[in-house]
Amino acid sequence: MVEAARAILAEYSWLWQQRLCHASMKTLRKVTQKDLVRGVPKLKFSKDHLCDACQLGKQVHSTFHPIKDISTSRPLEVLHMDLFGPISTAILGGKVYGFVIVDDYSRFTWTRFLSHKNESFEEFKTFSTWIQKKLGCEILTIHSDHGGEFENERFGNFCEDKGISHNFSAPRTPQ
């Protein structure tokens, strides 16, 4: 009889753990001991247990396998671009955003620092002219995320005029 009562209380404590957004058992003990939430009964929450949903949520993704084969045949065939920031400590000149461009063929990386996000178009325009003259070949494709700094009319018109294919990555896929 005592075992059955313990099993029912344990099941009931899991129910409350789920109702309270899968809070940790330590937090649930604190909530019940200090009566922080009305209606939660005084139950025992053991700290060494984890529900299935919490277990899945705490798992980390496995690493991506490195790509050994180069999928492009020349420099500037595909450029990957991203913008990061604002960074907490501004560099010289008060620049707080970083604009990163990576060549898929050589993996060479260029980083430009910007004061504002909206400078990214002009910076890419200047960069594309400079790098195409320097290397003597044209940019065929650029890849970027769906950030507003890349997915706008100015970028679209520029790419269309220069014959550059602009591809966007799928949301929430770091690959």
Side-chain angles (χ1 to χ4, degrees), residues 132-144:
Q132 289 177 102
K133 283 183 182 177
K134 182 174 179 167
L135 297 181
C137 52
E138 292 185 2
I139 299 170
L140 295 182
T141 305
I142 57 174
H143 283 258
S144 66

Side-chain angles (χ1 to χ4, degrees), residues 46-73:
S46 58
K47 67 178 180 180
D48 58 344
H49 287 22
L50 215 58
C51 74
D52 292 339
C54 291
Q55 179 74 31
L56 286 172
K58 292 180 188 323
Q59 287 181 342
V60 295
H61 296 284
S62 61
T63 58
F64 300 114
H65 299 291
I67 299 172
K68 294 180 174 114
D69 299 328
I70 298 171
S71 61
T72 54
S73 58

